[in-house]
Amino acid sequence: MTTIDEIIARATDELEKAVDAQSLESWRVQYTGRKGALTEILRSLGGLSLEERRSLGARANAAKALLENQYKEKLTLMSTSSSLRKTAAEMPDITLPGYPFALGHKHILIETIDEITDIFRTMGFQVALGPDAEWDYYNFEALNMPQEHPARDSMSTFWLDYENERGEKKMLLRTHCTAVSARVLHTMKPPIRTIEPGMVYRYEATDATHLNAYHNIDGVAVDEGITMADLKGTLFEFARRYFGPERKVRFRCDYFPFVEPGVEMAIECGVCRGTGCRLCGESGWLEILGAGMTHPEVLRRGGIDPEKYTSFAFGMGLERLPMLRHGIDDMRLFYGGDLRFLRQF
């Protein structure tokens, strides 16, 4: 009969020769399975004396535990080697050239804001910002538009769900960035030169040239001896730098409650070049801003003496500027998220 030591020696030798899962499983069945060599020894203990059963049974169980541990170690080693080979096969070749990454860029409206603020900075203006949710006072009253003023009717407003102790709604989404100009007049002392970019909100229908949420850039300058000539010179210089010296500019009188006198500045249409089209309403011109000499009452409400200081102010719809420069006929394209459009800029 084969001894336990011979079985262990033979099993250890054959285990080293097992190179795959199939041969390893055959080894397990042969030595530790239900019909394996050690199991046969344990089944034959019935014909032995009590002392022999105890001695041989203990040795056989210890040998079986030893071989089972060797089997587990071998199985783990083979599994690890297989995983490493699989991982190595799946790893990319790091010597190959990499895939190019698509680079993003600023949205055309952000680029326009940056360009316009840079132009005005070179003329001595600084950037001022204000809240989107604004008090009625700064949006209307400080700009010479009290509660009963008819000019309010032209600014359909998103009022916020806020009421004061008298039941009056006093907070809204700002309808123009001139509200920031009003804050500037209240918080800064002359000389003042600021521009105020930001989103504005009006409850109105949308079309090719109107949205209910869009960008404004307003500006205000306060100093001794400022005249309409300073206003025209500033805006003409801005138009020359942004649109180019060949673009025609038109100045004509207009009304705004917070300036006196008031003017409108228009640029030759970039789509039809003055012949008339859908974008410009067949006029050949597109208004880009309103401006004028700041009303003395607006200065007075800001704590500035209108007898000593004069001021000009302007406000422009931002989206119309790249529309005029690039010949875009619908401002809704800026907010549509169509990459075919946005990648052009």
Side-chain angles (χ1 to χ4, degrees), residues 101-114:
F101 286 95
L103 296 178
H105 60 81
K106 291 181 180 179
H107 193 281
I108 181 175
L109 295 181
I110 301 300
E111 291 180 341
T112 303
I113 291 174
D114 290 344

Side-chain angles (χ1 to χ4, degrees), residues 2-221:
T2 305
T3 65
I4 292 176
D5 292 337
E6 290 175 343
I7 292 173
I8 293 174
R10 187 169 68 247
T12 302
D13 183 60
E14 292 183 4
L15 184 61
E16 293 179 356
K17 299 177 182 178
V19 295
D20 54 33
Q22 184 177 357
S23 59
L24 183 62
E25 179 62 17
S26 298
W27 181 93
R28 185 193 66 80
V29 171
Q30 181 179 355
Y31 291 101
T32 62
R34 289 186 300 170
K35 296 183 179 181
L38 290 175
T39 305
E40 291 296 329
I41 291 178
L42 291 172
R43 287 176 178 173
S44 66
L45 296 179
L48 302 177
S49 64
L50 179 59
E51 291 298 324
E52 289 177 326
R53 284 202 302 272
R54 286 178 178 175
S55 176
L56 188 60
R59 291 179 58 205
N61 283 326
K64 185 175 183 181
L66 174 65
L67 295 182
E68 287 177 344
N69 288 335
Q70 291 180 350
Y71 166 78
K72 292 177 181 179
E73 292 175 0
K74 183 74 173 183
L75 181 62
T76 301
L77 181 62
M78 292 178 66
S79 299
T80 303
S81 300
S82 176
S83 298
L84 290 174
R85 288 194 298 271
K86 183 178 180 181
T87 301
E90 293 176 348
M91 286 185 65
D93 184 353
I94 61 174
T95 64
L96 293 174
Y99 294 102
F101 286 95
L103 296 178
H105 60 81
K106 291 181 180 179
H107 193 281
I108 181 175
L109 295 181
I110 301 300
E111 291 180 341
T112 303
I113 291 174
D114 290 344
E115 183 177 357
I116 291 173
T117 54
D118 285 344
I119 291 173
F120 279 102
R121 278 195 181 104
T122 64
M123 292 190 281
F125 287 75
Q126 66 184 87
V127 176
L129 301 175
D132 288 38
E134 187 56 273
W135 295 106
D136 174 277
Y137 177 79
Y138 289 112
N139 198 83
F140 291 124
E141 292 186 25
L143 298 173
N144 212 27
M145 288 184 283
Q147 188 72 38
E148 70 283 357
H149 200 288
R152 290 196 182 204
D153 296 340
S154 65
M155 299 184 186
S156 298
T157 303
F158 291 101
W159 290 98
L160 301 183
D161 189 17
Y162 170 84
E163 294 183 359
N164 63 13
E165 62 277 4
R166 294 188 299 274
E168 299 170 330
K169 289 187 175 181
K170 291 294 185 178
M171 186 169 281
L172 66 151
L173 294 180
R174 66 186 178 198
T175 59
H176 47 192
C177 281
T178 319
V180 186
S181 299
R183 286 180 172 270
V184 167
L185 296 179
H186 279 71
T187 56
M188 297 178 67
K189 299 301 180 183
I192 299 171
R193 286 173 179 78
T194 65
I195 56 170
E196 304 94 28
M199 288 291 292
V200 298
Y201 312 86
R202 297 189 184 182
Y203 184 62
E204 59 184 34
T206 62
D207 56 31
T209 57
H210 296 85
L211 293 174
N212 53 24
Y214 57 97
H215 289 84
N216 259 178
I217 291 188
D218 278 61
V220 64

Side-chain angles (χ1 to χ4, degrees), residues 251-256 261-264:
F251 243 72
R252 65 182 184 180
C253 293
D254 204 343
Y255 168 75
F256 302 99
V263 295
E264 165 225 282

Side-chain angles (χ1 to χ4, degrees), residues 301-335:
R301 285 175 177 268
I304 298 173
D305 183 1
E307 299 297 326
K308 180 178 180 181
Y309 297 101
T310 52
S311 166
F312 68 73
F314 58 87
M316 66 185 82
L318 180 81
E319 285 79 1
R320 293 191 178 188
L321 303 181
M323 290 174 71
L324 284 164
R325 174 188 275 187
H326 301 291
I328 301 168
D329 64 356
D330 194 327
M331 67 189 301
R332 291 170 290 191
L333 292 171
F334 293 121
Y335 299 94

Side-chain angles (χ1 to χ4, degrees), residues 62 123 179 341-342:
M123 292 190 281
F341 171 77
L342 297 175

